[in-house]
Coordinates of all heavy atoms in Angstrom, one line a residue:
L182 N 20.0 12.5 3.7 CA 20.0 13.7 4.6 C 21.2 13.8 5.5 O 21.8 14.8 5.7 CB 18.7 13.7 5.6 CG 17.4 14.1 4.9 CD1 16.2 13.7 5.7 CD2 17.4 15.6 4.7
K183 N 21.7 12.6 6.0 CA 22.9 12.6 6.8 C 24.1 13.0 6.0 O 24.9 13.8 6.5 CB 23.2 11.2 7.3 CG 24.4 11.1 8.3 CD 24.5 9.7 8.8 CE 25.7 9.6 9.8 NZ 26.8 10.4 9.6
L184 N 24.2 12.6 4.7 CA 25.3 13.0 3.8 C 25.3 14.5 3.7 O 26.3 15.2 3.8 CB 25.2 12.4 2.5 CG 26.2 12.8 1.4 CD1 27.5 12.3 1.7 CD2 25.7 12.3 0.0
V185 N 24.1 15.1 3.4 CA 24.1 16.6 3.2 C 24.3 17.3 4.5 O 25.0 18.3 4.5 CB 22.8 16.9 2.5 CG1 22.6 18.5 2.4 CG2 22.7 16.3 1.1
R186 N 23.7 16.9 5.6 CA 23.8 17.5 6.9 C 25.3 17.5 7.3 O 25.8 18.5 7.7 CB 22.9 16.9 7.9 CG 22.9 17.6 9.2 CD 22.1 16.9 10.3 NE 22.8 15.6 10.5 CZ 22.3 14.6 11.2 NH1 21.2 14.7 11.7 NH2 23.1 13.5 11.4
D187 N 25.9 16.3 7.2 CA 27.4 16.2 7.5 C 28.3 17.0 6.6 O 29.3 17.6 7.1 CB 27.8 14.8 7.5 CG 27.2 13.9 8.6 OD1 26.5 14.5 9.5 OD2 27.3 12.7 8.6
F188 N 27.8 17.2 5.3 CA 28.6 18.1 4.4 C 28.6 19.5 4.9 O 29.6 20.2 4.8 CB 27.9 18.0 3.0 CG 28.5 18.9 2.0 CD1 29.7 18.6 1.3 CD2 27.9 20.1 1.8 CE1 30.2 19.5 0.4 CE2 28.4 21.0 0.8 CZ 29.6 20.7 0.1
C189 N 27.5 19.9 5.5 CA 27.3 21.3 6.0 C 28.0 21.5 7.3 O 28.5 22.6 7.6 CB 25.8 21.6 6.2 SG 24.9 21.8 4.6
A190 N 28.0 20.5 8.1 CA 28.6 20.6 9.5 C 30.0 21.2 9.5 O 30.8 20.8 8.6 CB 28.6 19.2 10.2
G191 N 30.3 22.0 10.4 CA 31.6 22.6 10.5 C 31.8 23.9 9.6 O 32.8 24.6 9.8
H192 N 30.8 24.0 8.7 CA 30.9 25.2 7.8 C 29.8 26.2 8.1 O 29.9 27.4 7.7 CB 30.8 24.8 6.3 CG 31.9 23.8 5.9 ND1 33.1 24.2 5.7 CD2 31.8 22.5 5.7 CE1 33.8 23.1 5.3 NE2 33.0 22.1 5.3
V193 N 28.7 25.8 8.7 CA 27.6 26.6 8.9 C 27.3 26.9 10.4 O 27.9 26.2 11.2 CB 26.3 25.9 8.3 CG1 26.5 25.7 6.8 CG2 25.9 24.7 9.0
A194 N 26.6 27.9 10.6 CA 26.3 28.3 12.0 C 25.3 27.2 12.6 O 25.4 26.9 13.8 CB 25.6 29.7 12.1
D195 N 24.4 26.8 11.8 CA 23.4 25.8 12.3 C 22.8 25.2 11.0 O 22.5 25.8 10.0 CB 22.3 26.6 13.0 CG 21.3 25.6 13.7 OD1 21.7 24.5 14.1 OD2 20.1 26.0 13.9
V196 N 22.5 23.9 11.1 CA 21.8 23.1 10.0 C 20.7 22.3 10.7 O 20.9 21.6 11.7 CB 22.8 22.3 9.3 CG1 23.5 21.2 10.2 CG2 22.1 21.6 8.1
R197 N 19.5 22.4 10.0 CA 18.3 21.7 10.4 C 17.7 21.1 9.2 O 17.9 21.6 8.1 CB 17.4 22.6 11.1 CG 18.0 23.2 12.4 CD 17.0 24.0 13.2 NE 17.6 24.7 14.3 CZ 17.0 25.4 15.2 NH1 15.6 25.6 15.1 NH2 17.6 26.0 16.2
C198 N 16.9 20.1 9.4 CA 16.2 19.4 8.3 C 14.7 19.5 8.3 O 14.1 19.4 9.4 CB 16.6 17.9 8.3 SG 18.4 17.7 8.1
A199 N 14.1 19.7 7.2 CA 12.7 19.7 7.0 C 12.3 18.8 5.9 O 12.8 18.9 4.8 CB 12.2 21.2 6.7
V200 N 11.3 17.9 6.2 CA 10.8 17.0 5.2 C 9.3 16.9 5.3 O 8.7 17.1 6.3 CB 11.4 15.5 5.4 CG1 13.0 15.6 5.2 CG2 11.1 15.0 6.8
V201 N 8.8 16.5 4.2 CA 7.3 16.3 4.1 C 7.0 15.0 4.9 O 6.1 15.0 5.7 CB 6.8 16.2 2.7 CG1 5.2 15.9 2.7 CG2 7.1 17.5 1.9
Y202 N 7.8 13.9 4.6 CA 7.5 12.7 5.3 C 8.8 12.2 6.0 O 9.9 12.3 5.4 CB 7.1 11.6 4.3 CG 5.7 11.7 3.8 CD1 5.5 12.3 2.5 CD2 4.6 11.2 4.5 CE1 4.2 12.5 2.0 CE2 3.3 11.4 3.9 CZ 3.1 12.0 2.7 OH 1.9 12.1 2.2
E203 N 8.6 11.5 7.1 CA 9.8 10.8 7.8 C 9.3 9.4 8.1 O 8.2 9.2 8.6 CB 10.1 11.6 9.1 CG 11.4 11.0 9.7 CD 11.7 11.7 11.0 OE1 11.2 11.4 12.1 OE2 12.6 12.7 10.9
K204 N 10.1 8.5 7.8 CA 9.8 7.1 8.0 C 10.5 6.6 9.4 O 11.5 7.2 9.8 CB 10.3 6.2 6.9 CG 9.6 6.5 5.6 CD 9.8 5.5 4.5 CE 9.0 5.8 3.3 NZ 9.2 4.8 2.2
P205 N 9.8 5.7 10.0 CA 10.3 5.3 11.4 C 11.8 4.8 11.4 O 12.4 4.9 12.4 CB 9.3 4.3 11.9 CG 8.5 3.9 10.7 CD 8.7 4.9 9.6
H206 N 12.2 4.2 10.3 CA 13.6 3.6 10.3 C 14.6 4.6 9.9 O 15.8 4.3 9.7 CB 13.6 2.3 9.4 CG 13.1 2.6 8.1 ND1 11.8 2.3 7.7 CD2 13.7 3.0 6.9 CE1 11.7 2.6 6.4 NE2 12.8 3.0 6.0
S207 N 14.3 5.9 9.7 CA 15.3 6.9 9.3 C 16.3 7.1 10.3 O 16.0 7.2 11.5 CB 14.6 8.2 9.0 OG 15.5 9.2 8.7
S208 N 17.6 7.1 9.9 CA 18.7 7.3 10.8 C 18.8 8.8 11.2 O 19.5 9.1 12.2 CB 20.0 6.9 10.2 OG 20.3 7.6 9.0
V209 N 18.1 9.6 10.5 CA 18.1 11.1 10.8 C 16.7 11.5 11.3 O 15.7 11.2 10.7 CB 18.5 11.9 9.6 CG1 18.2 13.4 9.9 CG2 19.9 11.7 9.2
R210 N 16.7 12.1 12.5 CA 15.4 12.6 13.0 C 15.4 14.1 12.6 O 16.2 14.9 13.1 CB 15.3 12.5 14.6 CG 15.2 11.0 15.0 CD 13.8 10.5 14.7 NE 13.9 9.0 14.6 CZ 13.5 8.2 13.6 NH1 13.1 8.8 12.5 NH2 13.5 6.9 13.7
C211 N 14.5 14.4 11.8 CA 14.4 15.8 11.3 C 13.7 16.7 12.3 O 12.8 16.3 13.0 CB 13.6 15.8 10.0 SG 14.4 14.8 8.7
E212 N 14.2 17.9 12.3 CA 13.5 19.0 13.2 C 12.1 19.3 12.8 O 11.3 19.6 13.6 CB 14.4 20.2 13.2 CG 15.7 20.1 14.0 CD 16.8 19.4 13.1 OE1 16.6 19.1 11.9 OE2 17.9 19.2 13.7
Y213 N 11.9 19.2 11.5 CA 10.5 19.6 11.0 C 10.0 18.5 10.1 O 10.6 18.2 9.0 CB 10.6 21.0 10.3 CG 11.4 22.0 11.1 CD1 12.7 22.4 10.8 CD2 10.8 22.6 12.2 CE1 13.4 23.3 11.6 CE2 11.4 23.5 13.0 CZ 12.8 23.8 12.7 OH 13.4 24.7 13.5
V214 N 8.9 18.0 10.5 CA 8.3 16.9 9.7 C 6.8 17.1 9.6 O 6.1 17.4 10.6 CB 8.5 15.5 10.4 CG1 7.8 14.4 9.7 CG2 10.0 15.3 10.6
W215 N 6.2 17.0 8.4 CA 4.8 17.1 8.2 C 4.0 15.9 8.6 O 3.0 16.0 9.3 CB 4.5 17.5 6.8 CG 3.0 17.6 6.5 CD1 2.1 18.6 7.0 CD2 2.2 16.8 5.7 NE1 0.9 18.4 6.6 CE2 0.8 17.2 5.7 CE3 2.5 15.6 5.0 CZ2 -0.2 16.6 5.1 CZ3 1.4 15.0 4.3 CH2 0.1 15.5 4.4
R216 N 4.5 14.7 8.2 CA 3.8 13.5 8.5 C 4.8 12.4 8.6 O 5.8 12.3 7.9 CB 2.8 13.2 7.4 CG 1.9 12.1 7.7 CD 0.7 12.0 6.7 NE -0.3 13.0 7.0 CZ -1.3 13.3 6.2 NH1 -1.4 12.6 5.0 NH2 -2.2 14.2 6.5
H217 N 4.5 11.4 9.4 CA 5.3 10.2 9.6 C 4.5 9.0 8.9 O 3.3 8.9 9.0 CB 5.5 9.8 11.0 CG 6.3 10.8 11.7 ND1 5.8 11.9 12.3 CD2 7.7 10.8 12.0 CE1 6.8 12.6 12.8 NE2 8.0 12.0 12.6
T218 N 5.3 8.1 8.2 CA 4.7 7.0 7.5 C 5.7 5.9 7.3 O 6.9 6.2 7.3 CB 4.1 7.4 6.1 OG1 3.4 6.3 5.6 CG2 5.2 7.8 5.1
D219 N 5.2 4.7 7.1 CA 6.2 3.6 6.8 C 5.9 3.1 5.4 O 6.5 2.1 5.0 CB 6.1 2.4 7.8 CG 4.7 1.8 7.9 OD1 3.8 2.4 7.2 OD2 4.5 0.8 8.7
R220 N 5.0 3.8 4.7 CA 4.7 3.4 3.3 C 5.6 4.1 2.3 O 6.2 5.1 2.5 CB 3.3 3.8 3.0 CG 2.2 3.2 3.9 CD 0.9 3.8 3.5 NE -0.2 3.2 4.3 CZ -1.4 3.6 4.3 NH1 -1.8 4.6 3.5 NH2 -2.3 3.0 5.0
W221 N 5.6 3.5 1.1 CA 6.2 4.2 -0.1 C 5.2 5.3 -0.5 O 4.0 5.1 -0.4 CB 6.3 3.2 -1.2 CG 7.1 3.8 -2.4 CD1 6.6 4.4 -3.5 CD2 8.5 3.9 -2.5 NE1 7.6 4.9 -4.3 CE2 8.8 4.6 -3.7 CE3 9.6 3.6 -1.7 CZ2 10.1 4.9 -4.2 CZ3 10.9 3.9 -2.1 CH2 11.1 4.5 -3.4
I222 N 5.8 6.5 -0.8 CA 4.9 7.6 -1.1 C 4.8 7.9 -2.6 O 5.9 7.9 -3.3 CB 5.4 8.9 -0.4 CG1 5.6 8.6 1.1 CG2 4.6 10.1 -0.7 CD1 6.9 8.8 1.7
N223 N 3.6 8.1 -3.1 CA 3.4 8.6 -4.5 C 3.3 10.1 -4.4 O 2.3 10.7 -3.9 CB 2.1 8.1 -5.1 CG 2.2 6.6 -5.5 OD1 3.3 6.1 -5.7 ND2 1.1 6.0 -5.7
F224 N 4.4 10.8 -4.8 CA 4.4 12.2 -4.8 C 3.8 12.7 -6.1 O 3.9 12.0 -7.2 CB 5.9 12.7 -4.7 CG 6.4 12.6 -3.3 CD1 7.3 11.5 -3.0 CD2 6.1 13.4 -2.3 CE1 7.8 11.3 -1.8 CE2 6.6 13.3 -1.0 CZ 7.5 12.2 -0.8
P225 N 3.2 13.9 -6.2 CA 2.6 14.4 -7.4 C 3.6 14.5 -8.6 O 3.2 14.4 -9.7 CB 1.9 15.7 -7.0 CG 2.6 16.1 -5.8 CD 3.1 14.9 -5.1
W226 N 4.8 14.8 -8.3 CA 5.8 15.0 -9.3 C 6.4 13.7 -9.9 O 7.1 13.7 -10.8 CB 6.9 15.9 -8.9 CG 7.5 15.6 -7.5 CD1 8.5 14.7 -7.3 CD2 7.1 16.1 -6.3 NE1 8.8 14.6 -5.9 CE2 7.9 15.5 -5.3 CE3 6.2 17.1 -5.9 CZ2 7.8 15.8 -3.9 CZ3 6.1 17.4 -4.5 CH2 6.9 16.7 -3.6
S227 N 6.1 12.6 -9.2 CA 6.7 11.3 -9.7 C 5.7 10.2 -10.0 O 6.1 9.1 -10.3 CB 7.7 10.8 -8.6 OG 7.0 10.5 -7.4
T228 N 4.4 10.6 -10.1 CA 3.4 9.5 -10.3 C 3.2 9.3 -11.9 O 2.8 8.2 -12.2 CB 2.1 9.8 -9.6 OG1 1.7 11.1 -10.0 CG2 2.3 9.7 -8.2
Q229 N 3.3 10.3 -12.6 CA 3.1 10.2 -14.1 C 4.4 9.8 -14.8 O 5.5 10.2 -14.4 CB 2.6 11.5 -14.7 CG 1.2 11.8 -14.2 CD 0.6 13.0 -14.9 OE1 1.4 13.9 -15.3 NE2 -0.7 13.1 -15.1
L230 N 4.2 9.1 -15.9 CA 5.4 8.8 -16.7 C 6.0 10.1 -17.2 O 5.3 11.0 -17.5 CB 5.1 7.9 -17.9 CG 4.6 6.4 -17.5 CD1 4.2 5.7 -18.7 CD2 5.8 5.7 -16.9
P231 N 7.4 10.1 -17.4 CA 8.0 11.3 -18.0 C 7.5 11.6 -19.4 O 7.1 10.6 -20.1 CB 9.5 10.9 -18.0 CG 9.6 9.8 -17.1 CD 8.3 9.1 -17.1
V232 N 7.5 12.8 -19.8 CA 7.2 13.2 -21.2 C 8.2 12.7 -22.1 O 8.0 12.2 -23.2 CB 7.0 14.7 -21.3 CG1 6.8 15.2 -22.7 CG2 5.9 15.2 -20.4
V233 N 9.5 12.7 -21.7 CA 10.6 12.2 -22.4 C 11.2 11.1 -21.6 O 11.5 11.3 -20.4 CB 11.7 13.3 -22.7 CG1 12.9 12.7 -23.3 CG2 11.1 14.4 -23.5
R234 N 11.4 9.9 -22.1 CA 11.9 8.8 -21.4 C 13.4 8.7 -21.8 O 13.7 8.5 -23.0 CB 11.1 7.5 -21.8 CG 11.6 6.3 -21.1 CD 11.1 6.3 -19.6 NE 11.4 5.0 -19.1 CZ 12.4 4.8 -18.2 NH1 13.0 5.8 -17.7 NH2 12.6 3.6 -17.7
R235 N 14.3 8.8 -20.9 CA 15.8 8.6 -21.1 C 16.2 7.3 -20.7 O 15.9 6.8 -19.7 CB 16.5 9.7 -20.3 CG 16.2 11.1 -20.8 CD 16.9 12.1 -19.9 NE 16.5 13.5 -20.1 CZ 17.0 14.3 -21.1 NH1 18.0 13.9 -21.8 NH2 16.5 15.5 -21.2
E236 N 17.0 6.7 -21.5 CA 17.6 5.4 -21.2 C 18.4 5.4 -20.0 O 19.2 6.3 -19.8 CB 18.4 4.8 -22.4 CG 18.7 3.4 -22.3 CD 19.2 2.8 -23.6 OE1 18.8 3.3 -24.7 OE2 20.2 2.0 -23.6
G237 N 18.2 4.4 -19.1 CA 19.0 4.3 -17.9 C 18.4 5.1 -16.8 O 18.9 4.9 -15.6
Q238 N 17.4 5.9 -17.0 CA 16.8 6.6 -15.9 C 15.8 5.7 -15.2 O 15.2 4.8 -15.8 CB 16.0 7.9 -16.4 CG 16.9 8.9 -17.0 CD 17.8 9.6 -15.9 OE1 17.5 9.5 -14.7 NE2 18.8 10.3 -16.3
V239 N 15.6 5.9 -13.9 CA 14.7 5.1 -13.1 C 13.4 5.8 -12.8 O 13.4 7.0 -12.5 CB 15.5 4.8 -11.7 CG1 14.5 4.0 -10.8 CG2 16.7 4.1 -12.0
L240 N 12.3 5.2 -13.0 CA 11.0 5.7 -12.7 C 10.7 5.5 -11.2 O 11.2 4.6 -10.6 CB 9.9 5.0 -13.5 CG 10.0 5.1 -15.1 CD1 8.9 4.3 -15.7 CD2 9.9 6.6 -15.4
D241 N 10.0 6.4 -10.7 CA 9.5 6.3 -9.3 C 10.6 6.4 -8.3 O 10.5 5.7 -7.2 CB 8.7 4.9 -9.2 CG 7.7 5.0 -8.1 OD1 7.3 6.2 -7.7 OD2 7.2 4.0 -7.7
A242 N 11.6 7.0 -8.6 CA 12.7 7.2 -7.6 C 13.3 8.6 -7.8 O 13.3 9.2 -8.8 CB 13.8 6.1 -7.8

Side-chain angles (χ1 to χ4, degrees):
L182 280 163
K183 183 177 182 334
L184 175 71
V185 174
R186 188 186 62 194
D187 290 353
F188 174 83
C189 292
H192 301 288
V193 302
D195 188 30
V196 61
R197 298 184 188 183
C198 298
V200 295
V201 178
Y202 288 97
E203 184 179 89
K204 295 193 178 180
H206 54 265
S207 174
S208 62
V209 171
R210 293 289 161 238
C211 298
E212 288 81 2
Y213 311 106
V214 178
W215 176 68
R216 189 171 283 170
H217 293 86
T218 188
D219 60 357
R220 298 177 178 175
W221 186 264
I222 302 121
N223 283 342
F224 289 101
W226 48 85
S227 63
T228 53
Q229 293 186 329
L230 290 174
V232 173
V233 174
R234 181 79 171 106
R235 296 178 190 269
E236 193 167 324
Q238 293 291 345
V239 178
L240 296 178
D241 208 18

